Amino acid sequence: MDKTALQILEQHSIRPSVQRIEVVSYLYHNRIHPTADEIFNALNGTIPTLSKTTIYNILKLLEDGGVVKHINIDEKNVRYELIIGEHAHFRCDNCSRIFDIPAPTSKHNLPEGFTIRESDTYYQGICPECSKKPIV
Amino acid sequence: MDKTALQILEQHSIRPSVQRIEVVSYLYHNRIHPTADEIFNALNGTIPTLSKTTIYNILKLLEDGGVVKHINIDEKNVRYELIIGEHAHFRCDNCSRIFDIPAPTSKHNLPEGFTIRESDTYYQGICPECSKKPIV
DNA sequence: AATAAATTTGTAATGAATACAATATTATAA
DNA sequence: TTATAATATTGTATTCATTACAAATTTATT
């Protein structure tokens, strides 16, 4: 049982359960911005009775509770990550992996009247590993 | 028949057709970042035989040809816009409309080895109109 | 006009996400 | 503890955007 995951849930006043702890633990230890499906497949081994609906339920709960954030960089599926310090996302055109990248230092040019709640920066290009090998 | 839309297609070496001209024309005159479904519904009146598959086909063709770009700010549907000058996108939390906003002046903090092909900035918050009226 | 190529269309399939009701688990009251 | 209420999980069915694919139509070429 993951102590850190339990703490994260408690800090956000979300009642822990085996399933919730496992989801948070998975996101904590696998910073790969997984889809709901990937999380389900990863946890189905340890929790054989797991249902995919539960994953969706928990992700919604965690998002409402401010524990996770979804990422729209991939047009197929929604991806999720634990909310950590501010950063940007980089998706490699070649291997499709998503990397956490330091956020740019930006001066926003917002017209009069707009109020920003959140700002996200998405990069696309080639990651260091794929730069070294010939593009498939 | 929209002369401008025809020109845009010709500039990108895409053979014109009634359907293609109408899609480009719609995107040119309606800067609302529509979904494929919205485009279909808007054009189905003028082209009664129109098929939704055609809209998807054309959007893919236009995207490959560098005429349009898709936007992932909305987790439900993919949205489209004509490629114009660089700008950021702002989605209003209240009315869900997407606004074109001047791009921020950014100094990117890319780690060694990453190469950027494209960078997108997405804002979320409250638009001027919704700031004035009480939030629903 | 005949034939080939390109485009559009309709239908069926896919697959992520949601709705919902049933079951199981946990907390609370007696 | 036992009974009851509240919460959480699960399975199934549904929705809906998108894609696959083949037939029909339109446009270009010989």
Side-chain angles (χ1 to χ4, degrees), chain B residues 104-117:
Chain B
T105 34
S106 295
K107 187 184 155 299
H108 301 302
N109 299 313
L110 271 198
E112 190 78 21
F114 287 91
T115 314
I116 296 179
R117 174 179 56 79

Side-chain angles (χ1 to χ4, degrees), chain B residues 22-68:
Chain B
E22 286 299 320
V23 168
V24 173
S25 178
Y26 181 77
L27 289 169
Y28 185 83
H29 294 289
N30 303 84
R31 307 300 177 93
I32 59 170
H33 316 88
T35 63
D37 199 60
E38 282 168 351
I39 298 170
F40 172 78
N41 288 322
L43 302 187
N44 203 15
T46 34
I47 312 173
T49 61
L50 191 61
S51 163
K52 206 174 281 183
T53 301
T54 302
I55 299 296
Y56 282 106
N57 290 344
I58 291 176
L59 287 171
K60 185 177 185 330
L61 183 82
L62 293 176
E63 186 147 30
D64 292 348
V67 179
V68 311

Side-chain angles (χ1 to χ4, degrees), chain A residues 70 72 75 93 103-109 113-126 128 131, chain B residues 70 72-73 75 93 103-109 113-126 128 131:
Chain A
H70 71 261
N72 287 333
E75 59 258 38
D93 290 331
T105 34
S106 296
K107 185 183 156 299
H108 300 303
N109 299 314
F114 287 92
T115 314
I116 296 179
R117 173 179 58 77
E118 184 180 326
S119 115
D120 294 296
T121 305
Y122 292 149
Y123 296 110
Q124 288 165 270
I126 302 294
S131 291
Chain B
H70 70 260
N72 286 332
I73 203 170
E75 59 258 38
D93 291 331
T105 34
S106 295
K107 187 184 155 299
H108 301 302
N109 299 313
F114 287 91
T115 314
I116 296 179
R117 174 179 56 79
E118 184 180 326
S119 116
D120 293 296
T121 304
Y122 292 149
Y123 296 110
Q124 289 165 269
I126 301 295
S131 292

Side-chain angles (χ1 to χ4, degrees), chain A residues 24-98:
Chain A
V24 173
S25 178
Y26 181 78
L27 289 169
Y28 186 81
H29 294 287
N30 303 82
R31 305 302 178 92
I32 60 172
H33 317 87
T35 63
D37 199 59
E38 283 168 350
I39 299 171
F40 173 79
N41 288 322
L43 302 186
N44 204 17
T46 34
I47 312 174
T49 61
L50 190 62
S51 164
K52 205 174 283 184
T53 301
T54 302
I55 300 296
Y56 283 107
N57 289 343
I58 291 176
L59 286 170
K60 184 176 186 334
L61 184 81
L62 293 175
E63 185 147 30
D64 291 348
V67 178
V68 311
K69 169 173 163 35
H70 71 261
I71 302 170
N72 287 333
I73 203 170
D74 172 3
E75 59 258 38
K76 290 280 171 215
N77 312 323
V78 180
R79 296 181 166 275
Y80 295 88
E81 71 176 0
L82 280 188
I83 292 179
I84 51 177
E86 200 201 355
H87 61 276
H89 291 109
F90 185 104
R91 185 179 58 182
C92 179
D93 290 331
N94 187 237
C95 65
S96 297
R97 278 183 300 174
I98 297 168

